């Protein structure tokens, strides 16, 4: 198998409206974050050095989502106050927590959000056609998925790292690789131009979330 070339390009300067990604740029997607298993995994990952937690639960009612998000945010910040929090689709909760916002086809549209805009502001994209100029100007990053086969999208073979590379060249904003990411798959994604990665089951469902979080961080560091 041919070795992918290293990406030697220098980081693009931030736009006036753009917020830098957390370091390391590894977003832990805490899906269904009210359950004890997810809470424990999140806290273990933050203790292990991850500095980005993404709160997601499409099924929770608005008030329950906000209540549970407040509780977990407080616990995460008690472990490490500088941890970046982003909230999936729930604009009111993001503003209440002073957190970032991640959105997609469910809305709200990033370019339609009135000030103050939660930062960082992200968008889930699967094709560059989902990134019109107005959207590119306001978002801080986009996620592109699924790169590899994943249980969340049964039957999807994954787009592969070549598609990730093409998408990144066309997107014009930092791209996070998502979908089927294991520590062993981090390096190919970074070499393909990914500005970061997003992980769900690789940490949340790991037998040892602490070790898993450290493995992803080490993989990202070694790929640089």
């Amino acid at each position: 198998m041919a070795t992918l070339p290293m990406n030697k390009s220098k980081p693009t300067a931030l736009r006036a409206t753009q917020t830098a990604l957390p370091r390391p740029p590894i977003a832990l997607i805490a899906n269904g974050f009210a359950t004890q298993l997810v809470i424990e995994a999140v806290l273990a990952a933050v203790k292990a050095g991850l500095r980005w937690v993404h709160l997601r639960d499409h099924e929770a009612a608005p008030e329950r989502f906000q209540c549970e998000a407040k509780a977990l945010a407080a616990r995460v910040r008690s472990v490490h106050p500088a941890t970046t929090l982003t909230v999936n689709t729930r604009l009111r909760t993001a503003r209440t927590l002073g957190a970032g916002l991640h959105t997609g086809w469910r809305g709200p549209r990033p370019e339609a959000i009135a000030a103050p805009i939660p930062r960082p502001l992200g968008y889930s994209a699967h094709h560059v056609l989902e990134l019109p100029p107005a959207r590119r100007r306001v978002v801080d990053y986009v996620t592109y998925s699924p790169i590899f086969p994943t249980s969340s999208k049964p039957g999807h073979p994954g787009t592969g790292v070549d598609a990730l590379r093409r998408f990144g060249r066309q997107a014009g904003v930092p791209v996070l690789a998502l979908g089927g990411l294991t520590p062993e798959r981090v390096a190919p994604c970074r070499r393909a131009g990914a500005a970061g990665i997003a992980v769900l089951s690789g940490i949340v469902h790991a037998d040892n979330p602490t070790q898993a979080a450290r493995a992803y961080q080490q993989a990202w560091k070694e790929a640089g």
Side-chain angles (χ1 to χ4, degrees):
M1 181 180 295
T3 301
L4 292 170
M6 291 292 287
N7 186 338
K8 299 295 185 180
S9 60
K10 294 181 180 180
T12 304
L14 293 179
R15 303 185 308 269
T17 58
Q18 187 179 346
T19 299
L21 299 181
R23 309 306 301 177
I26 301 173
L28 172 56
I29 301 177
N31 190 51
F33 59 88
T35 65
Q36 193 60 31
L37 180 147
V38 178
I39 291 171
E40 291 177 358
V42 166
L43 297 177
V46 174
K47 289 176 183 177
L50 285 192
R51 295 293 175 258
W52 190 353
V53 177
H54 178 72
L55 305 179
R56 186 177 79 179
D57 190 335
H58 296 312
E59 307 302 321
E63 294 305 322
R64 177 175 177 270
F65 184 100
Q66 181 150 310
C67 179
E68 299 290 353
K70 282 183 177 180
L72 183 53
R75 296 186 67 179
V76 166
R77 286 166 172 163
S78 72
V79 173
H80 197 284
T83 302
T84 295
L85 294 171
T86 46
V87 176
N88 194 289
T89 73
R90 315 291 183 118
L91 178 57
R92 182 169 70 94
T93 299
R95 285 175 169 157
T96 298
L97 297 181
L101 180 72
H102 186 93
T103 183
W105 64 268
R106 288 180 172 84
R109 293 182 296 117
E111 63 273 24
I113 298 173
I117 297 175
R119 298 288 182 184
L121 178 61
Y123 188 82
S124 294
H126 308 281
H127 194 282
V128 291
L129 293 178
E130 298 174 82
L131 299 174
R135 188 163 297 163
R136 298 183 197 205
R137 284 194 294 268
V138 71
V139 298
D140 299 306
Y141 70 92
V142 297
T143 56
Y144 178 69
S145 67
I147 310 302
F148 301 100
T150 173
S151 59
S152 64
K153 295 190 186 317
H156 196 300
T159 63
V161 293
D162 287 339
L164 170 65
R165 181 183 293 104
R166 290 192 297 270
F167 179 86
R169 287 172 177 168
Q170 298 169 4
V173 295
V175 176
L176 267 60
L178 170 63
L181 268 290
T182 62
E184 294 74 21
R185 290 168 169 170
V186 169
C189 290
R190 189 168 188 182
R191 290 197 293 261
I197 62 171
V199 182
L200 197 166
S201 60
I203 294 176
V204 171
H205 298 148
D207 292 336
N208 189 323
T210 298
Q211 291 182 359
R214 289 172 177 162
Y216 280 100
Q217 292 175 86
Q218 187 64 27
W220 181 262
K221 179 180 179 181
E222 291 178 354

